[in-house]
Amino acid sequence: MEDPRAIIAREPMHYRQVIAVAIATALNALDGFDVLSISFAAPGIARDWGIDRAALGLVLSMELFGMGIGAFVLGSLADKVGRRPMLLACLVIMGIGMAMASTASNVAILSAYRLFTGLGIGGMLAATNAVVAECSNARRRNLTVAIMAGGYPMGAIVGGSAASWLLAATGRWESVFEFGAVVTVAFIPLVLWLVPETMAFLLLKRPAGALEKINHTLVRQGRQPLAALPPADPVQRKMGVGALFAPGMASVTIMLTGTYFFHMMTFYFLVKWIPKIVVDLGFPAALAGGVLVWGNVGGAIGSIAVSLLSQKIGIRPVVIASMFLAAMSVSVFGQGATTLGGLSLIAAAACLFANGAIAGLYAVLAQSYPAALRAGGTGLVIGVGRAGAALGPILAGLLFSAGWSLAPVAIAMACGTLIGGVLLSLVRYRESEVA
């Protein structure tokens, strides 16, 4: 009896598989908007509540803390309860968090709601990755994962454009979160209707009714149902975290963790503070979001460009070059262009290099660890890196509150991705040893 996973890997993708991948990509786009919704709302929040930049920096980082926790906790839970239930649970969490954020009346309450929202965003990121990988055939898997990753900046582009329109039309920062809540809840029936539990999960965990659920999916995809489940996979011995710090691996783990941590610190300083910086330069809040939208256009292009260049040059040199160019671009952004067009162009360039480096780092991580350590190593690096993402907006807020002007703050924050590039260039391994 042939394993359905082998059939999925070998045969062309059915349109229902394509739809499931498209929904997962749209969910990743929703994540992209939800993460940056606070950035679009930040100028109005600062205006209405009269809070300083240090307090604003803390608010801007709260969902990043939640994302780190959510990726660890809910991501692991998705391996126990299933991908589909976790998608639905995360949508509920995100919808409630966005709706409640629109009712917040002070910094503490808003921070709590953003932390809660971040839990759902982090869990969603983990679950959508699994759905796309497990619904794709072997030939298209790398392509579909890349497409899903591109959904993140696209969500910020489309959602950011809508947010800018809402801010101009209503003058209320709350409208950004209200819009996010409505769109988030609208995805619940789509997931219920179009995204079945993956056959890979059902075959691995074998919950009650697994055969019936697998056959239902197979029949809907025009394939023959199973008479019985194939033999269960042999139990794999789990390798502990200590193996990541064993001789020969410790330096790789430490260097890659540092690379991701410092680069994320710079990247999230940029994308979280752009609207507030643009407003402080004298431009209307409704137009400031447009600069961040152009930044995400650059980010989407950067992801594609790094993917294409890596086919010719190799991924690590491309990522290192992207990080050095990102550091330069962030420093230039801090010089404060005098026109919205100039700010948009520099933001697009900075995000092109910075987001391109992030996309490439995921491939570097997969390349750096042997198969037995790949999932654990990637999880550790990304989990710790979320702390850098959260630290970036907070550190910038403290520097602004200490009296630093934009130019030195941007140069200081650009040093994060510069350090990351140096650390990545020092990582030493032979690819043949870690394939």
Side-chain angles (χ1 to χ4, degrees):
M1 180 184 302
E2 189 170 12
D3 192 315
R5 288 169 293 191
I7 298 173
I8 294 297
R10 182 185 67 244
E11 294 185 358
M13 291 178 63
H14 189 269
Y15 78 89
R16 289 189 179 276
Q17 293 168 265
V18 174
I19 289 174
V21 170
I23 294 295
T25 302
L27 290 172
N28 203 33
L30 181 64
D31 272 5
F33 172 72
D34 283 2
V35 168
L36 294 181
S37 59
I38 187 68
S39 301
F40 295 112
I45 293 170
R47 177 199 66 217
D48 290 355
W49 293 352
I51 59 176
D52 62 22
R53 289 178 168 184
L56 187 60
L58 180 63
V59 174
L60 289 172
S61 291
M62 289 313 295
E63 87 277 353
L64 299 175
F65 286 113
M67 285 172 66
I69 299 170
F72 276 128
V73 177
L74 299 184
S76 298
L77 195 57
D79 287 331
K80 297 179 180 179
V81 304
R83 286 67 166 107
R84 188 170 182 257
M86 189 50 57
L87 291 178
L88 294 168
C90 289
L91 283 170
V92 172
I93 292 171
M94 291 162 61
I96 292 173
M98 293 290 280
M100 296 304 292
S102 69
T103 69
S105 57
N106 58 57
V107 170
I109 294 175
L110 180 59
S111 297
Y113 291 151
R114 292 303 294 168
L115 178 67
F116 181 73
T117 306
L119 294 174
I121 296 172
M124 181 70 76
L125 288 170
T128 51
N129 279 335
V131 167
V132 170
E134 293 167 7
C135 286
S136 303
N137 62 18
R139 182 182 178 188
R140 302 296 185 190
R141 187 168 294 129
N142 288 339
L143 175 63
T144 56
V145 170
I147 290 172
M148 187 210 66
Y152 197 84
M154 290 305 299
I157 293 168
V158 176
S161 299
S164 296
W165 180 84
L166 285 169
L167 288 170
T170 68
R172 298 171 57 252
W173 58 264
E174 294 91 343
S175 63
V176 176
F177 296 119
E178 292 164 355
F179 170 75
V182 170
V183 175
T184 299
V185 172
F187 271 99
I188 293 176
L190 290 176
V191 172
L192 284 169
W193 180 32
L194 298 171
V195 183
E197 184 56 78
T198 67
M199 287 186 278
F201 172 82
L202 293 170
L203 287 166
L204 181 64
K205 294 299 182 179
R206 300 181 178 241
L211 178 60
E212 291 76 11
K213 292 177 181 177
I214 289 171
N215 282 339
H216 180 69
T217 299
L218 286 171
V219 170
R220 294 186 77 185
Q221 293 177 1
R223 299 183 169 107
Q224 291 297 315
L226 304 176
L229 292 175
D233 294 341
V235 177
Q236 300 291 326
R237 181 176 67 89
K238 293 184 178 180
M239 301 188 71
V241 175
L244 298 172
F245 296 94
M249 284 270 68
S251 62
V252 173
T253 297
I254 293 170
M255 289 290 192
L256 289 177
T257 301
T259 297
Y260 195 81
F261 178 95
F262 284 109
H263 181 59
M264 295 299 278
M265 184 176 70
T266 298
F267 178 74
Y268 274 99
F269 149 70
L270 184 66
V271 298
K272 289 290 189 177
W273 275 99
I274 280 178
K276 185 64 170 67
I277 288 171
V278 173
V279 169
D280 289 346
L281 289 173
F283 297 98
L287 299 178
V291 178
L292 183 55
V293 169
W294 278 109
N296 280 282
V297 171
I301 295 172
S303 298
I304 298 170
V306 165
S307 177
L308 295 175
L309 287 172
S310 66
Q311 304 300 308
K312 300 290 185 181
I313 302 173
I315 191 63
R316 196 161 65 132
V318 173
V319 173
I320 292 170
S322 296
M323 294 179 81
F324 289 148
L325 290 169
M328 293 173 55
S329 300
V330 172
S331 298
V332 171
F333 183 80
Q335 304 310 305
T338 56
T339 66
L340 274 175
L343 287 167
S344 299
L345 181 63
I346 299 169
C351 289
L352 184 151
F353 296 123
N355 198 64
I358 291 173
L361 276 173
Y362 293 122
V364 170
L365 291 174
Q367 187 185 78
S368 302
Y369 289 104
L373 295 175
R374 192 162 291 139
T378 301
L380 176 67
V381 170
I382 292 176
V384 175
R386 293 296 179 191
L391 179 63
I394 293 174
L395 180 58
L398 293 173
L399 293 175
F400 280 130
S401 293
W404 289 38
S405 63
L406 174 59
V409 168
I411 292 172
M413 298 306 299
C415 288
T417 199
L418 181 63
I419 293 170
V422 171
L423 289 174
L424 183 58
S425 69
L426 296 175
V427 176
R428 292 290 176 260
Y429 62 87
R430 291 199 296 272
E431 292 180 21
S432 59
E433 294 179 348
V434 298

